[in-house]
Amino acid sequence: MIGSPVRLAARDVTLAYDARVVVDHLSVDVPEGEFTVIVGANACGKSTLLRGLARLLALRDGAVLLDGEPIHRSPTRDVATKLGILPQQPVAPDGLIVGDLVARGRHPHLRWYRRWSSHDDELVRWALDVTAMTDLATRPVDELSGGQRQRAWIAMALAQDTPTLLLDEPTTFLDLAHQCEVMDLLQRLNHDGRTIVAVLHDLNQAARYADHMIAMRDGQVVATGTPPQVVTPELVEVVFGLPVVVHPDPLTGTPMVIPVPQGPRR
């Protein structure tokens, strides 16, 4: 959707861990109402950028704008009603059960004058249902498999019921069937009006689901645009250092990347 309004943006942002600069004076827009996927090789700054957009990592320089205002000036609770966040490898307190974890997604919406309501119950039940976690609602999070735990955290982010959802590698630990379920769910949420931003490793998966892609290398944005604009043999080799051919996906018509073999065939 060319010309979509921008609700979330980075302006000349620098992000660092102690003395190590990872993202250096980067600017990028997240189109409102679109499914944006950030791609790139390992350690290129994808997750760091997402953490900066989510205000999980302090800026060294520049600004992140949410609804046109610097995000660091907004109260944390207000930001949490606008941005739902699934960080990479989150950790739950010992003994916390799945239902209580998912219910924490509703906490930003509660105030002294706005107590827990039937609406909160409905959203928690919905989030558990769409992530196939209802039967595990009374299980401690630390007793779950890696894939189940990932789905529990996704359910918490969904229960937050924000207009924008940021997810760092949401398909980590999931088998192929659950990867497809999660990506289909995110696509449905996007079609219902949510802005989705996800970091993904699988380039073909990214090209299949994204409306808008951000390709990164060495802490910089190399290209942005639709999947056909970003997933080209030339750009993939620049970003990943890998020769590929690109063909239309036979089911969706989206770009499908096929690596060129580099060694002798057996």
Side-chain angles (χ1 to χ4, degrees):
M1 290 179 284
I2 302 300
S4 296
V6 173
R7 190 175 196 196
L8 182 65
R11 292 289 177 262
D12 203 29
V13 161
T14 296
L15 296 161
Y17 299 98
D18 297 323
R20 183 170 64 92
V21 173
V22 178
V23 169
D24 192 14
H25 294 287
L26 176 151
S27 295
V28 71
D29 293 336
V30 175
E32 184 176 358
E34 297 195 17
F35 195 144
T36 294
V37 176
I38 306 172
V39 299
N42 289 343
C44 73
K46 302 185 301 294
S47 294
T48 299
L49 173 59
L50 194 78
R51 293 189 70 202
L53 291 172
R55 209 174 71 167
L56 296 177
L57 181 62
L59 304 180
R60 182 68 58 86
D61 198 6
V64 170
L65 304 180
L66 179 62
D67 293 334
E69 297 293 330
I71 196 172
H72 71 276
R73 296 181 185 171
S74 300
T76 298
R77 187 181 289 269
D78 290 349
V79 172
T81 64
K82 298 178 180 180
L83 295 180
I85 302 161
L86 175 67
Q88 194 176 89
Q89 298 181 344
V91 178
D94 290 342
L96 186 70
I97 66 171
V98 170
D100 289 344
L101 173 68
V102 177
R104 290 187 173 202
R106 301 302 305 150
H107 289 180
H109 298 273
L110 303 179
R111 301 288 194 278
W112 65 267
Y113 55 84
R114 198 294 203 189
R115 305 291 177 154
W116 189 273
S117 69
S118 59
H119 177 64
D120 299 303
D121 284 327
E122 289 171 7
L123 282 169
V124 170
R125 285 195 296 268
W126 168 78
L128 288 166
D129 181 57
V130 297
T131 55
M133 293 298 291
T134 300
D135 291 343
L136 299 174
T138 59
R139 287 272 301 276
V141 177
D142 52 14
E143 291 182 6
L144 301 178
S145 69
Q148 291 169 335
R149 193 176 301 120
Q150 185 76 342
R151 283 187 284 140
W153 283 102
I154 291 172
M156 190 196 78
L158 294 180
Q160 204 169 328
D161 193 33
T162 57
T164 301
L165 192 57
L166 310 180
L167 307 105
D168 195 353
E169 300 183 27
T171 54
T172 297
F173 303 121
L174 300 182
D175 59 34
L176 183 59
H178 282 118
Q179 285 185 37
C180 292
E181 286 180 9
V182 165
M183 294 304 298
D184 286 344
L185 170 61
L186 294 177
Q187 189 175 61
R188 290 197 303 273
L189 293 170
N190 172 247
H191 290 168
D192 288 341
R194 280 182 176 83
T195 300
I196 306 292
V197 186
V199 169
L200 293 177
H201 275 299
D202 188 323
L203 192 55
N204 288 328
Q205 191 178 72
R208 173 173 283 196
Y209 286 93
D211 302 308
H212 179 74
M213 295 183 70
I214 299 171
M216 294 184 63
R217 178 181 176 181
D218 298 331
Q220 294 293 324
V221 172
V222 175
T224 64
T226 63
Q229 291 171 329
V230 173
V231 184
T232 66
E234 297 78 15
L235 275 171
V236 171
E237 185 161 7
V238 167
V239 171
F240 293 94
L242 179 69
V244 300
V245 294
V246 177
H247 288 294
D249 186 305
L251 296 179
T252 63
T254 54
M256 184 175 67
V257 174
I258 303 171
V260 175
Q262 298 299 294
R265 294 183 179 181
R266 292 184 178 181

